[in-house]
Amino acid sequence: DRSIASGLNRNAIQAESSLLLLAWPGPKDARGYLLGASYSEVVAATSVPTMIAAIHPDRDLTEHRLALVARDEDLGPGNVPSLRIAADVASTLAQRGRPLIVGPVASGDLAAIDVDLPDAAEFPGGPEDLIEWVQHATEPGDIIILPFLGIELRSVAFEIYDSGRSVLAVTPNPESRSALNGS
């Protein structure tokens, strides 16, 4: 292929993948700009939903809670596909007996746009500001599932990661399918 990004896209299509999982390599240095595709290039080139995982290597991921971040602005028509993919990922991971907390939006707001979550999901409420809500409702080590739109991660994802929490940033792409279906 002409690039790493188009090669990953072709492979995802041939494998009939329903989700492309990328490890976040951390902040880019000059060598990263010269030698490889950035996550934003891969997201822009692929036609399947993509999740970028920024996991703290020193954490035991089996011990920590999951938190799905959903703000009022994520409920808008242009952002709902990203929120649905993030909710699919959160629900799938929560099926393994993990606690799932959701916020800062209320459960009724998500039900109004047909976002399904496990019955045991908790909605602790708290501040409307996303960073404040994460600090209020979660603990360092928890896994934060964050929907995003476009090809750039929001700076808030970096702030959450820097606070000791792992981040799974999820975005849909054109012709995206549910993240629950497959490989």
Side-chain angles (χ1 to χ4, degrees):
D1 282 297
R2 293 181 181 167
S3 69
I4 292 170
S6 65
L8 286 170
N9 181 49
R10 183 182 312 275
N11 195 334
I13 291 168
Q14 289 174 343
E16 297 182 10
S17 298
S18 60
L19 181 71
L20 180 61
L21 174 61
L22 303 173
W24 180 63
K28 238 182 177 183
D29 58 9
R31 185 174 58 150
Y33 283 108
L34 295 174
L35 298 178
S38 71
Y39 69 85
S40 59
E41 292 166 336
V42 174
V43 169
T46 190
S47 60
V48 298
T50 303
M51 181 165 60
I52 299 154
I55 306 293
H56 286 277
D58 58 341
R59 305 276 199 258
D60 180 359
L61 297 178
T62 61
E63 296 178 0
H64 298 285
R65 298 176 300 164
L66 301 167
L68 172 62
V69 171
R71 302 177 296 171
D72 286 338
E73 65 192 58
D74 295 322
L75 303 174
N79 296 335
V80 169
S82 184
L83 180 56
R84 284 193 177 125
I85 296 290
D88 283 350
V89 168
S91 295
T92 300
L93 294 174
Q95 288 175 359
R96 298 185 176 133
R98 284 206 141 133
L100 174 63
I101 57 175
V102 183
V105 299
S107 63
D109 296 333
L110 293 177
I113 59 169
D114 294 324
V115 171
D116 293 323
L117 293 170
D119 292 336
E122 299 174 32
F123 291 80
E128 288 295 317
D129 178 75
L130 185 59
I131 297 298
E132 288 179 27
W133 182 84
V134 167
Q135 291 173 347
H136 167 78
T138 69
E139 300 171 1
D142 286 346
I143 301 167
I144 312 303
I145 301 160
L146 178 67
F148 75 99
L149 192 62
I151 60 171
E152 290 296 326
L153 280 176
R154 299 187 286 213
S155 62
V156 72
F158 298 114
E159 241 181 287
I160 292 170
Y161 181 81
D162 289 342
S163 74
R165 292 148 177 95
S166 294
V167 177
L168 300 178
V170 184
T171 186
N173 286 308
E175 302 173 28
S176 291
R177 296 182 308 232
S178 169
L180 294 175
N181 292 347
S183 53

